[in-house]
Amino acid sequence: MLSKNMIVVKKAVETIAKNAKVASIFVRNQSAFGPDKIVKSPYPNVEIPNMTVNDYVWQNLDRWPERTVSVCPVTGRGYTYEKAFKLSNSFGANLRIKFKIRDGDTVAVMLPNVPDYPLVVMGILEAGGVVTTVNPIYTAYEVQRQLQMSASKAIVTLPENVKTIKDALQLAKLDIPIIVIKTNGIAIPEGTVCFNELSEDGHVDTSVLKQVRRTANDICILPYSSGTTGMPKGVELSNRNIIANCEQINEPLVACHNETTATHQDSVMTILPFFHIYALSVIMFHKMSQGIKMVTLAKFQPETFLQAVEKQRTNVLFAAPPVILLMASHPASSPKTYEHLEVVINGAAPLSPGDAERFLDRAQRTMDFRQGYGLTETSPVVTMTPRGLGDYSCVGRALPNTELKIVDDRLNSLGSNEKGELLVRGPQVMRGYRQNPQANADSFTDDGWFRTGDLAVISEDGLVTIADRLKELIKVKGFQVPPAELESVLRDHPSVADAAVVGVPHASHGEAPKAFVVLKNNAKTDPQNIKDFVKERVASYKRIEDIVFIDCVPKSSAGKILRRVLKEQYC
């Protein structure tokens, strides 16, 4: 048996070897730009298994049946992999038998990060269903819209969300089952079905799942994103999309996990919400496929989060900038808090090198701190910095099987160190937006490149730096807030004739929505009245911080709101 010192030396040697391999790859490929100025991944292509996500996740179950798959650090409630597999199968069978869910039917999941989340999602997939994830702090208006757009046949939630969902169903004139997870012994609300009874049903005939006929190319996940512009749209992600991205981030030089063995299991803190594709794919699906433990925090409270990082011996953390900033500055954080952390990956929005260094200074230890880049439409990861790079200003290089291109506003290809829109092509790119041919035409070029709507620069050796956003989404705490959605809500106010919304810098949120409102003739109201109107209809992070009354909204000849003009004049 190796001594502790020998293990440390062994790890150091492995790290040096990996870093040398990184350097050798990129020296051999001095220029990442190929014909037509296309940037190919420097990594070898990966093979993409021809299967469904649920089969992919469970394929190595026999290697870690007794390992923990998910656990709540507050209550200690959780599941082993073997238990999760059995419960999700029973739930899936009951979805088909009792609720008549059939192949391709959509089921909504409106949950915070509870230990049951993986069981719910896997059960839906095993039943042949499609999962659409809903933010649990959405209002009835937002839930109504997603249930209608996704044509959901059922919804899974917690007791505290039932009233919102019932209000949403009334608004939508829908009658679908509400399945509720019982987490604290309290009786479930009237008119709902208990998830626990469905999943713990020992008499259900699970052989009904043999009737499911789903393929790698079928849609399995239907998140909603604003894409490059406008209102939320259903993003059709296939089994192949998700599995491709899982295999891509298994590339040894970018992998963020350790192998699960008889003596080791990574502990991953899941503070990022599972309703977002970043956590759903990169954390849930991928980490389950590797037998890793997910520590699920249902509610973000700084002290609880920091205590859990330490007590759960968290060694892998995926985060967004607000979390990193908190970890660098909160009084309750100390080097002891982060004594087990080995890998920290920032995503969802860029983090400055200075902020990364402040966090590392607070941690007072060497760790693998990296950044990645992706979108809901790319399942989500496009690029990631390799191990040992140590450059916090970029988001790394293209993953295996991925091609990149930088173009100008006429889609002409640009070269190294030239700023333009980033285009992506690869197996992780979505099938398209659901029932939205115009959005698909706007988002894909004629030769199949996906337009990210982000301005970027690619260095000669293939390192990508995100420079700015072409799209007008507002990033609040890492969440996307589409101006068009807020403008639509504002125009519903009885005193508002027209409105425009832009993002403005915010000290702790990154950005915040600011509205410019044109009142109807003779209308009299005040900013607070309009803020309260919006507050009732949108999630808390979408709330408008400031309102300015103006005479008219500046628009182009085509009727497009000139947000740049508003920013120049008022921000």
Side-chain angles (χ1 to χ4, degrees):
M1 182 177 290
L2 293 174
S3 69
K4 187 174 182 180
N5 288 340
M6 290 175 69
I7 292 172
V8 171
V9 171
K10 182 173 181 286
K11 285 188 174 181
V13 171
E14 289 173 348
T15 300
I16 292 170
K18 286 172 182 173
N19 292 350
K21 186 178 178 184
V22 171
S24 67
I25 281 180
F26 302 124
V27 166
R28 286 198 306 270
N29 300 308
Q30 291 185 354
S31 176
F33 287 77
D36 299 322
K37 298 181 180 177
I38 293 173
V39 177
K40 292 184 179 293
S41 171
Y43 307 110
N45 282 346
V46 297
E47 289 188 18
I48 304 166
N50 184 29
M51 58 176 64
T52 61
V53 166
N54 45 297
D55 285 339
Y56 178 80
V57 166
W58 297 127
Q59 63 182 329
N60 291 313
L61 177 65
D62 60 340
R63 292 175 54 189
W64 40 69
E66 298 304 317
R67 291 289 193 179
T68 299
V69 62
S70 58
V71 63
C72 172
V74 178
T75 64
R77 197 172 63 85
Y79 301 95
T80 65
Y81 272 86
E82 185 175 44
K83 187 72 170 177
F85 175 75
K86 290 179 179 177
L87 294 177
S88 65
N89 266 256
S90 295
F91 177 53
N94 271 319
L95 284 177
R96 288 190 75 92
I97 295 169
K98 295 181 178 178
F99 301 101
K100 307 304 178 187
I101 297 300
R102 295 294 179 261
D103 294 0
D105 285 348
T106 301
V107 178
V109 179
M110 186 176 175
L111 293 169
N113 285 13
V114 291
D116 319 78
Y117 208 121
L119 281 61
V120 171
V121 170
M122 297 307 294
I124 295 168
L125 296 180
E126 286 154 19
V130 174
V131 176
T132 187
T133 53
V134 184
N135 188 333
I137 65 171
Y138 268 5
T139 66
Y141 296 91
E142 293 166 309
V143 176
Q144 165 213 355
R145 181 177 59 212
Q146 187 162 337
L147 291 179
Q148 287 180 316
M149 294 176 69
S150 64
S152 292
K153 300 295 178 66
I155 184 167
V156 185
T157 192
L158 293 184
E160 52 262 42
N161 291 327
V162 169
K163 183 183 183 306
T164 298
I165 292 171
K166 285 185 174 180
D167 289 345
L169 293 176
Q170 188 172 2
L171 286 169
K173 297 180 173 57
L174 287 175
D175 181 17
I176 62 173
I178 303 174
I179 301 169
V180 177
I181 294 175
K182 189 176 180 180
T183 61
N184 51 14
I186 299 174
I188 65 170
E190 185 179 350
T192 65
V193 182
C194 183
F195 165 79
N196 308 70
E197 293 177 3
L198 298 173
S199 61
E200 296 169 13
D201 183 357
H203 301 291
V204 65
D205 181 10
T206 56
S207 68
V208 71
L209 299 179
K210 294 178 182 178
Q211 299 172 4
V212 174
R213 295 289 182 271
R214 300 295 280 167
T215 70
N217 291 321
D218 287 327
I219 304 303
C220 64
I221 306 295
L222 185 66
Y224 275 75
S225 167
S226 296
T228 53
T229 58
M231 299 290 284
K233 297 177 281 290
V235 177
E236 295 187 323
L237 299 177
S238 68
N239 288 288
R240 177 178 167 81
N241 290 149
I242 299 293
I243 293 172
N245 213 220
C246 289
E247 288 295 304
Q248 288 168 318
I249 60 177
N250 276 337
E251 156 57 42
L253 292 179
V254 298
C256 308
H257 66 282
N258 300 291
E259 182 183 359
T260 300
T261 65
T263 57
H264 176 82
Q265 183 188 31
D266 279 349
S267 176
V268 178
M269 180 63 63
T270 59
I271 191 60
L272 297 173
F274 283 139
F275 64 78
H276 193 284
I277 193 63
Y278 181 6
L280 187 70
S281 182
V282 174
I283 300 179
M284 182 189 295
F285 291 136
H286 179 263
K287 300 307 174 284
M288 288 179 72
S289 75
Q290 300 296 314
I292 291 168
K293 178 175 76 172
M294 295 178 289
V295 181
T296 57
L297 267 177
K299 186 176 182 181
F300 184 77
Q301 296 172 319
E303 290 81 5
T304 304
F305 163 67
L306 293 169
Q307 290 170 9
V309 169
E310 180 180 345
K311 292 181 179 179
Q312 292 290 328
R313 303 175 69 87
T314 301
N315 68 314
V316 180
L317 175 67
F318 293 86
V323 176
I324 303 293
L325 296 177
L326 178 139
M327 294 172 72
S329 60
H330 197 279
S333 74
S334 69
K336 190 173 188 306
T337 308
Y338 311 125
E339 64 179 329
H340 301 293
L341 269 183
E342 298 173 355
V343 182
V344 176
I345 305 294
N346 176 68
L351 187 75
S352 73
D355 289 332
E357 287 161 5
R358 276 186 283 277
F359 162 67
L360 293 171
D361 287 343
R362 175 61 70 99
Q364 291 184 19
R365 59 176 308 213
T366 300
M367 65 178 73
D368 188 11
F369 187 97
R370 295 187 264 152
Q371 298 208 68
Y373 167 78
L375 307 95
T376 304
E377 291 85 350
T378 56
S379 306
V381 191
V382 173
T383 70
M384 187 178 291
T385 50
R387 298 186 187 200
L389 184 67
D391 183 348
Y392 307 137
S393 66
C394 70
V395 292
R397 297 179 170 89
L399 292 182
N401 307 59
T402 303
E403 297 176 309
L404 307 176
K405 188 159 62 169
I406 299 289
V407 298
D408 63 17
D409 55 4
R410 295 187 178 183
L411 297 181
N412 296 313
S413 296
L414 302 177
S416 63
N417 301 310
E418 293 185 288
K419 185 191 295 185
E421 184 180 3
L422 179 64
L423 273 55
V424 180
R425 194 162 61 184
Q428 72 271 50
V429 176
M430 66 172 179
R431 288 261 300 266
Y433 295 114
R434 172 158 291 194
Q435 298 176 349
N436 201 328
Q438 184 57 54
N440 288 328
D442 293 340
S443 300
F444 287 93
T445 65
D446 292 340
D447 52 351
W449 289 88
F450 174 68
R451 303 185 62 176
T452 68
D454 288 317
L455 289 174
V457 173
I458 302 180
S459 66
E460 186 67 26
D461 62 349
L463 285 172
V464 178
T465 300
I466 303 300
D468 202 349
R469 291 198 303 278
L470 276 176
K471 54 193 175 188
E472 295 165 333
L473 293 175
I474 304 165
K475 282 289 185 77
V476 181
K477 298 180 179 179
F479 295 116
Q480 297 179 347
V481 179
E485 179 183 352
L486 289 177
E487 289 157 0
S488 176
V489 174
L490 285 164
R491 286 191 290 268
D492 284 340
H493 189 285
S495 297
V496 174
D498 201 1
V501 175
V502 301
V504 295
H506 189 283
S508 59
H509 297 171
E511 288 185 303
K514 179 171 183 167
F516 298 90
V517 170
V518 179
L519 295 177
K520 292 178 179 176
N521 290 336
N522 304 318
K524 292 183 179 180
T525 189
D526 60 76
Q528 191 59 49
N529 177 274
I530 298 175
K531 285 183 187 179
D532 291 342
F533 179 85
V534 175
K535 182 179 178 180
E536 292 177 0
R537 289 160 172 77
V538 301
S540 58
Y541 65 89
K542 298 179 185 178
R543 292 172 187 169
I544 292 170
E545 295 271 332
D546 187 26
I547 290 179
V548 175
F549 291 121
I550 58 177
D551 293 330
C552 66
V553 173
K555 297 180 180 178
S556 70
S557 58
K560 180 178 174 60
I561 295 174
L562 299 175
R563 302 183 209 280
R564 175 181 51 80
V565 173
L566 288 170
K567 286 189 174 185
E568 290 172 353
Q569 292 182 359
Y570 298 99
C571 302

